Amino acid sequence: MNEKVHYAEKLFDPRWIEKKKQILNRDNKKCVICGKSEGKLHIHHKQYHFIKRLQIHVEPWNYDNKLLITLCESCHSRGHYRFKVPIKYI
């Protein structure tokens, strides 16, 4: 299975949905960069974790909240275009 498709499917998991609600509430349902609250808001991982011995990424919902932020669609796209999300190997 394509890894990106597999990741996209995980975003429908109830554990991710709950984590997303927590982060949206913490960030007052606004983009932390531009303050936009309308439109589609994304939860962005500031860092990815990869478990070397298992050769897998940590599940999207198993990150500390401090590594997740709310971004509007525009800021999220611009950020991924300009910067690569760092990967921490654990």
Side-chain angles (χ1 to χ4, degrees):
M1 181 183 288
N2 182 315
E3 188 173 320
K4 288 188 183 224
V5 171
H6 185 62
Y7 182 81
E9 289 173 355
K10 291 180 180 190
L11 302 182
F12 293 98
D13 187 289
R15 294 167 289 186
W16 175 250
I17 292 168
E18 180 57 34
K19 178 67 95 167
K20 181 178 179 177
K21 285 180 190 175
Q22 290 174 17
I23 303 307
L24 284 168
N25 287 331
R26 182 201 64 200
D27 294 341
N28 298 312
K29 297 180 179 147
K30 294 180 181 177
C31 175
V32 299
I33 293 176
C34 72
K36 186 176 181 179
S37 60
E38 303 108 27
K40 190 171 183 182
L41 295 173
H42 297 239
I43 303 304
H44 172 69
H45 288 80
K46 296 193 289 185
Q47 181 180 91
Y48 294 123
H49 293 168
F50 187 80
I51 304 169
K52 289 190 284 186
R53 68 180 171 80
L54 300 176
Q55 293 295 296
I56 60 170
H57 282 90
V58 170
E59 299 290 4
W61 51 84
N62 284 336
Y63 285 79
D64 190 291
N65 287 359
K66 70 182 178 185
L67 294 174
L68 302 167
I69 58 171
T70 302
L71 297 176
C72 69
E73 195 165 25
S74 177
C75 288
H76 195 209
S77 293
R78 261 194 322 272
H80 274 287
Y81 177 74
R82 291 182 181 169
F83 308 102
K84 184 175 179 182
V85 177
I87 298 173
K88 180 178 180 180
Y89 295 92
I90 53 177

